[in-house]
């Protein structure tokens, strides 16, 4: 018998927090991508795809799977399929973000939402296929269909947030909503999983890696990635602040103002300098070439 919440609500809470952090970083990077072009746009889009696809979706899925147990058998994971399940959402998210940023229309938003939803579902069931257990895994079609609908709606909402939101407050609220949707996709799909034990007795654990063997690389990679993302956001914020300050009308006016001739320098200490006397009108006698009679 499978237990979805073997460790209580601790694992879902951690998975939700991981998804919310990844969603916020992705929305922040997508906001930067909308205001840039060329190489810098690709840089921000890549970081947004890694944040949402790699942290908010895939890492959340893996953390949530740590609380999933099957009585009577150990769970092992295929390393190749696990890696593929992590690459798929990052690539699909990057392409979907590129579509909605380059072509800001409702039609492309819906196309990107469907594409991203398919990518999220592909990630989830590829990750499920990477599980090796002593038994047969079955999925309830009703729960599969419901998880697909939630994934498409959540993906479309995420792309809409990435295309429109700018302020940190709105992005924080949107990240919390996205985390609810992403975790709902996972736990809805997992609720429809049924394990059928085999008729014969198995000796030893299935082939593959244990979850704890993948946990340390995952946590180390997430910590390093979040640190790099924080540095990018801080540096990008300072550059944007400097650009806005330079672009302000008062700054430009002060830089390009030409002092008039009547304004002269007054030193801080000592007597002020008097302006030079105005030249008098020329007289005929002052001209050396004028012949006097």
């Amino acid at each position: 018998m499978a237990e979805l919440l073997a460790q209580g609500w601790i694992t879902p809470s951690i998975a939700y927090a991981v998804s919310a952090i990844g969603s916020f970083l992705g929305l922040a990077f997508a906001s930067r991508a909308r205001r840039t072009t060329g190489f810098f746009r690709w840089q921000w889009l890549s970081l947004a795809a890694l944040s949402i696809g790699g942290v908010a979706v895939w890492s959340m899925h893996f953390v949530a799977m740590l609380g999933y147990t099957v009585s009577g058998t150990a769970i092992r994971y295929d390393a190749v399929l696990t890696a593929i399940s992590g690459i798929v959402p990052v690539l699909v998210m990057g392409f979907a973000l590129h579509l909605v940023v380059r072509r800001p229309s409702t039609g492309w938003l819906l196309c990107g939402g469907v594409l991203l939803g398919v990518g999220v579902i592909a990630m989830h069931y590829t990750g499920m296929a990477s599980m090796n257990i002593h038994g047969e895994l079955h999925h309830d079609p009703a729960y599969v269909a419901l998880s697909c609908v939630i994934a498409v709606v959540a993906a479309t909402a995420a792309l809409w947030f990435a295309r429109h939101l700018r302020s940190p407050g709105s992005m924080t609220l949107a990240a919390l909503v996205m985390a609810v949707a992403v975790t709902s996709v996972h736990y809805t799909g997992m609720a429809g999983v049924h394990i059928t034990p085999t008729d014969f007795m198995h000796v030893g654990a299935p082939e593959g890696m244990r979850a704890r063997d993948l946990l340390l690389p995952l946590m180390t990679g997430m910590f390093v990635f979040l640190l790099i993302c924080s540095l990018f956001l801080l540096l990008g914020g300072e550059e944007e602040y400097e650009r806005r300050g330079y672009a302000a009308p008062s700054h430009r006016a002060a830089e390009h103002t030409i002092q008039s001739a009547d304004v002269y320098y007054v030193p801080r200490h000592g007597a002020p300098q008097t302006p030079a006397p105005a030249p008098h009108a020329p007289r005929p006698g002052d001209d050396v070439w004028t012949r006097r009679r």
Side-chain angles (χ1 to χ4, degrees):
M1 181 179 178
E3 296 185 16
L4 188 58
L5 301 175
Q7 301 176 2
W9 290 96
I10 297 178
T11 305
S13 300
I14 297 175
Y16 174 81
V18 169
S19 182
I21 293 173
S23 299
F24 177 80
L25 289 175
L27 293 178
F29 289 138
S31 176
R32 301 285 174 84
R34 294 197 309 266
R35 300 192 293 269
T36 56
T37 57
F39 171 77
F40 294 101
R41 169 173 286 183
W42 282 105
Q43 167 189 298
W44 295 121
L45 286 178
S46 300
L47 290 173
L50 285 171
S51 300
I52 300 178
V55 178
V57 177
W58 183 80
S59 296
M60 181 282 310
H61 167 83
F62 188 80
V63 171
M65 289 302 297
L66 295 176
Y68 184 75
T69 60
V70 180
S71 59
T73 179
I75 300 177
R76 297 292 184 265
Y77 295 92
D78 184 276
V80 176
L81 289 178
T82 302
I84 292 175
S85 67
I87 295 173
V88 168
V90 174
L91 295 179
V92 177
M93 174 59 72
F95 184 70
L97 286 174
H98 173 70
L99 286 180
V100 298
V101 171
R102 289 292 299 273
R103 297 181 174 90
S105 64
T106 305
W108 285 109
L109 176 64
L110 296 177
C111 291
V114 173
L115 177 64
L116 182 56
V118 172
V120 172
I121 291 298
M123 179 280 306
H124 175 78
Y125 288 102
T126 303
M128 294 299 299
S130 68
M131 291 176 52
N132 294 329
I133 59 173
H134 292 322
E136 296 182 0
L137 209 64
H138 302 281
H139 299 278
D140 191 328
Y143 285 94
V144 173
L146 182 59
S147 63
C148 290
V149 172
I150 297 175
V152 172
V153 174
T156 305
L159 293 178
W160 189 90
F161 291 150
R163 195 176 71 177
H164 291 88
L165 299 184
R166 292 180 179 272
S167 65
S170 61
M171 287 189 290
T172 301
L173 181 60
L176 297 177
V177 174
M178 288 172 59
V180 171
V182 173
T183 51
S184 298
V185 173
H186 173 80
Y187 285 103
T188 301
M190 293 302 298
V193 174
H194 303 284
I195 307 295
T196 303
T198 56
D199 297 333
F200 52 90
M201 200 70 178
H202 291 274
V203 179
E207 296 181 357
M209 302 180 63
R210 296 177 300 178
R212 68 183 66 177
D213 297 333
L214 299 173
L215 182 60
L216 181 59
L218 173 65
M219 298 304 295
T220 304
M222 284 181 55
F223 176 78
V224 173
F225 178 73
L226 292 177
L227 180 61
I228 294 175
C229 290
S230 301
L231 292 176
F232 268 103
L233 286 176
L234 289 175
L235 295 177
E238 292 179 357
E239 293 178 358
E240 183 178 358
Y241 177 79
E242 292 177 357
R243 287 197 301 268
R244 288 183 178 180
Y246 180 78
S250 59
H251 182 92
R252 295 197 307 266
E255 181 179 359
H256 298 290
T257 298
I258 300 176
Q259 300 291 338
S260 62
D262 296 335
V263 179
Y264 53 90
Y265 172 71
V266 178
R268 187 173 182 179
H269 302 286
Q273 295 181 356
T274 57
H280 58 273
R283 294 175 297 181
D286 296 334
D287 190 355
V288 296
W289 297 103
T290 303
R291 178 181 295 181
R292 295 184 178 181
R293 297 184 182 275

